[in-house]
Amino acid sequence: MAGQVAPEGIYNEEGSVDASFLSHIANAIAEGDTETLLRDVSHLHQSEIGDLLEALQPEQRRDLVNLMGATFDFTALTEVDDSIRRDIVEAMPNEQIAQAVQQLDSDDAVYILEDLDPADQNEILAQLPFTERVRLRRSLSYPEETAGRRMQTEFVAVPPFWTVGQTIDYMREARELPDSFAQIFVIDPTFRLVGTVDLDRILRTQRAVKIEEIMRETRHAIPATMDQEEAAQIFEQYDLLSAAVVDENERLVGVLTIDDVVDVITQEAEEDLMRLGGVGDEELSDSVLATSRSRVPWLLINLVTAFFAASIISLFDHTIETVVALAVLMPIVAGMGGNAGSQTMTVTVRALATGSLGLHNASRVIRREIGVGLINGVIFAALIGTVAGVWFQSPTIGGIIACAMVVNMFTAALAGILIPMLLDRFGADPAVASAVFLTTVTDVVGFFAFLGLATWWFGLL
Amino acid sequence: MAGQVAPEGIYNEEGSVDASFLSHIANAIAEGDTETLLRDVSHLHQSEIGDLLEALQPEQRRDLVNLMGATFDFTALTEVDDSIRRDIVEAMPNEQIAQAVQQLDSDDAVYILEDLDPADQNEILAQLPFTERVRLRRSLSYPEETAGRRMQTEFVAVPPFWTVGQTIDYMREARELPDSFAQIFVIDPTFRLVGTVDLDRILRTQRAVKIEEIMRETRHAIPATMDQEEAAQIFEQYDLLSAAVVDENERLVGVLTIDDVVDVITQEAEEDLMRLGGVGDEELSDSVLATSRSRVPWLLINLVTAFFAASIISLFDHTIETVVALAVLMPIVAGMGGNAGSQTMTVTVRALATGSLGLHNASRVIRREIGVGLINGVIFAALIGTVAGVWFQSPTIGGIIACAMVVNMFTAALAGILIPMLLDRFGADPAVASAVFLTTVTDVVGFFAFLGLATWWFGLL
């Protein structure tokens, strides 16, 4: 069965590029054996060529593109890590890029052009036919990560008074149709969008019926300046396959398709996960130095908060000297608070990202988290208190750590939900900064509650 | 512009259900005002009704479904949290469920039926027409989270020798077409799949052309028993809109569509994020007790490791008594190791989930992480050593903490990449368990290196 999925077998059992296929291609590249490359690479799917490029060495990638020339499928470049694409494109002469761009759908062409510096961009655009140049310039004029940047400017649009028969005849004859499409758009003479028709509706309707009778009014036209994440949420909510993109005068300028939206969804989910883990936009292909540099800022911020927490401990150095068991137990109080808080924070960050946490349910969710914090606080206070009391043969120490646990688990729950919500309210990305603030709170409160209670109890004030 | 997206305005600025709309509907429910509900609810999109249901109280949800009766759009139940769906469906008599199920596409029907206990399932299935019953039973016979469970059993299939004209005429006359579709399938007389044709290809081809001339051979047929996550990866890789699902004899049994796949992708990305944060399948609508219960196991596991780390500290209680500055500084060493390790772990877990980390690049990525760990280790060792040395006016303490930092950051990098890779290799989900193991390693090594070095240096062995 597996054979059906990738009959050419460029992948091994684990889904990565097969080692023997890889060395076969590497040999062909080394020997300049264009014939083998044409036979074994050009029929692959763009994403397979993308995986192949990622598996090759940087030098080999550039040679492969050069050797294959015009037969290379440049859409493959939309499937590789940004740094790899930039590396390949920068090694290509502008003329070759211009030729490549002409093979591509406009959304893929923009993907490649947007990385280049303005001078190269202009030189390449100048070599393109007029219509294409105008379309690409328009896409590039919209800010990054907007619907206008991601849209495809090739689409089929017909007037509402055409019949189904006329529309089918037009599609049979027209030369400049997009490579593939799932719906056609209905526009008025000024290019203003009036509706959409799914292809299956056209196919099941008699030829004499007018398009306006079977079109649906467009409820989900996407403004070109809309953020791609917001556009993706509309696709998800309304199960769209494609959606019209309109300019500020509601004129149809392009179409956003589900395959681009799937990329956006994956990318945004990945961003949240990476940010919660304290890593930025890094890619697996980044160098040691680039990776190291991109991770230092996060560690630096954490270092500052770590010293802050340490300074709380140092307030109580006299207490620790007297009762050294406190030093042994204090990381447990802080750590368990951190774990409980990050459970709450993870749920909150995800709920904010998917839009399922809003004003209408905020107070209920906050109350729930406080309830969970108190219940789990009491459970773990009892548990930790007992173990610590037995370990150090001191009911007092058990009691102190139990009280500190309840305080810290309650604080952790509150901080875990309020920090991301406040960050979101003030327009910051909750995934980026929540974890630092949360750890600071649970460390500081954990150390302070535990050591403070002990100092007071043992009369060491 | 925003008005275009939700012209009925059930949402407020923030994208959650508008409070005044909500109380308007709540009133209508309280007064049993069916007319208002029909006017203001029945035209909403299924996902909007879903959001409305989630915003209402449990009692109101059940009343709404009862009051609207047959005019209620049951696809809305596929858009709400599992616990809410179960709550609503369990309150409905089996006859009403049977009627509802008949309105639905088979994939949505399965979604509702799979939650019910077998006795209810059988009673409901018995009330359905023969063909529908057989189809739903087949879908339900595949394990959860497989392509067979998620597929839609309504599709259009034609023989290869039909012409485009015949196919279009068939679609114009057939009554039992799916609600919407983007491609048709080509089958032989034994229902074995031979190819697919996208609708746009049919529309741009002359009537006399045979289907077999324009069909594409199916490279991406999905076995019904394939895990839904694997199926989603095929959709992502090959930018599919829909794919044929085949049984063990390669006979066409259904079609998997991109909208279901988008749900799978979102869900799987969410699972990874939630698991890394130590939370399971919980939903925002879960009760306090259910949430508390589901979070306890993770906290328990962390507690065990926290006591293990504490026992390492207790080995050195004599040293801490003598040099209390060590108690103040030791959380910094452990914490920074934890942060650096979780950066590496996050990248690794994500790369494993997307299949971009495999045997072909494992050794390169491991070497990169070790490099990053050493470089950042040295940077932060210098920084922390200096600050700690100045703070406690002791170059010795600065030197000790610096050495311990290098050791722990290096260990953290190694553990951050090797733990998820090993878990993956042994068939465990790296997202679930990596964090616990990692924290254990960075805490234990952090405390041991720092306190051990200090003990040795100050001659307190």
Side-chain angles (χ1 to χ4, degrees), chain B residues 134-321:
Chain B
V134 171
R135 284 176 167 182
L136 289 176
R137 271 204 201 286
R138 179 156 58 192
S139 289
L140 286 166
S141 74
Y142 291 109
E144 273 185 56
E145 311 219 324
T146 58
R149 264 295 172 92
R150 286 280 138 278
M151 72 187 178
Q152 189 175 322
T153 52
E154 297 90 1
F155 49 80
V156 180
V158 301
F161 51 82
W162 276 20
T163 63
V164 166
Q166 265 178 301
T167 308
I168 294 182
D169 293 342
Y170 163 73
M171 284 192 274
R172 286 201 181 127
E173 276 145 36
R175 311 219 154 266
E176 298 242 320
L177 293 181
D179 283 350
S180 73
F181 52 100
Q183 60 183 189
I184 64 173
F185 300 101
V186 188
I187 50 172
D188 74 7
T190 65
F191 245 76
R192 208 160 274 144
L193 184 71
V194 288
T196 56
V197 191
D198 291 337
L199 294 192
D200 64 300
R201 182 130 308 277
I202 296 183
L203 279 169
R204 50 177 120 174
T205 306
Q206 302 294 333
R207 282 181 68 90
V209 177
K210 286 217 166 120
I211 288 292
E212 61 194 342
E213 293 172 48
I214 59 168
M215 76 178 191
R216 273 175 308 142
E217 271 182 68
T218 313
R219 288 179 53 197
H220 313 295
I222 311 253
T225 52
M226 181 183 271
D227 185 84
Q228 59 178 9
E229 187 170 7
E230 212 179 316
Q233 277 175 3
I234 294 175
F235 268 74
E236 269 190 276
Q237 169 148 37
Y238 297 105
D239 291 340
L240 306 180
L241 289 181
S242 61
V245 179
V246 294
D247 69 9
E248 61 284 8
N249 301 313
E250 301 199 15
R251 275 194 295 258
L252 183 62
V253 290
V255 51
L256 204 60
T257 54
I258 182 78
D259 55 314
D260 296 320
V261 171
V262 167
D263 292 342
V264 171
I265 294 172
T266 322
Q267 199 181 318
E268 299 286 348
E270 178 160 320
E271 259 178 40
D272 279 352
L273 187 134
M274 300 288 260
R275 283 174 183 168
L276 275 176
V279 272
D281 292 332
E282 67 173 68
E283 287 164 340
L284 223 51
S285 56
D286 288 351
S287 70
V288 173
L289 280 180
T291 311
S292 158
R293 206 180 310 128
S294 81
R295 291 190 193 165
V296 163
W298 174 254
L299 292 174
L300 261 182
I301 298 169
N302 273 288
L303 182 61
V304 174
T305 75
F307 268 108
F308 180 49
S311 72
I312 301 292
I313 301 175
S314 78
L315 295 176
F316 302 101
D317 51 0
H318 179 52
T319 312
I320 292 173
E321 241 167 341

Side-chain angles (χ1 to χ4, degrees), chain A residues 4 11 14 47-48 172 178 204-205 219 237-238 270 278 292 295 298 343 350 369 376 425, chain B residues 4 11 14 47-48 172 178 204-205 219 237-238 270 278 292 295 343 350 368-369 376 425:
Chain A
Q4 274 197 318
Y11 299 108
E14 285 176 325
S47 67
E48 293 168 340
R172 287 203 179 125
R204 49 175 122 177
T205 306
R219 288 180 52 198
Q237 169 148 35
Y238 298 104
E270 178 160 319
S292 158
R295 290 191 194 165
W298 174 253
Q343 289 180 326
R350 183 64 193 167
E369 288 302 330
N376 287 358
R425 176 124 292 232
Chain B
Q4 275 199 317
Y11 299 108
E14 285 176 326
S47 67
E48 293 168 340
R172 286 201 181 127
R204 50 177 120 174
T205 306
R219 288 179 53 197
Q237 169 148 37
Y238 297 105
E270 178 160 320
S292 158
R295 291 190 193 165
Q343 289 181 325
R350 184 63 194 167
R368 182 187 79 156
E369 288 302 331
N376 288 357
R425 176 125 291 233

Side-chain angles (χ1 to χ4, degrees), chain A residues 10 313 317 433:
Chain A
I10 86 153
I313 302 175
D317 52 359

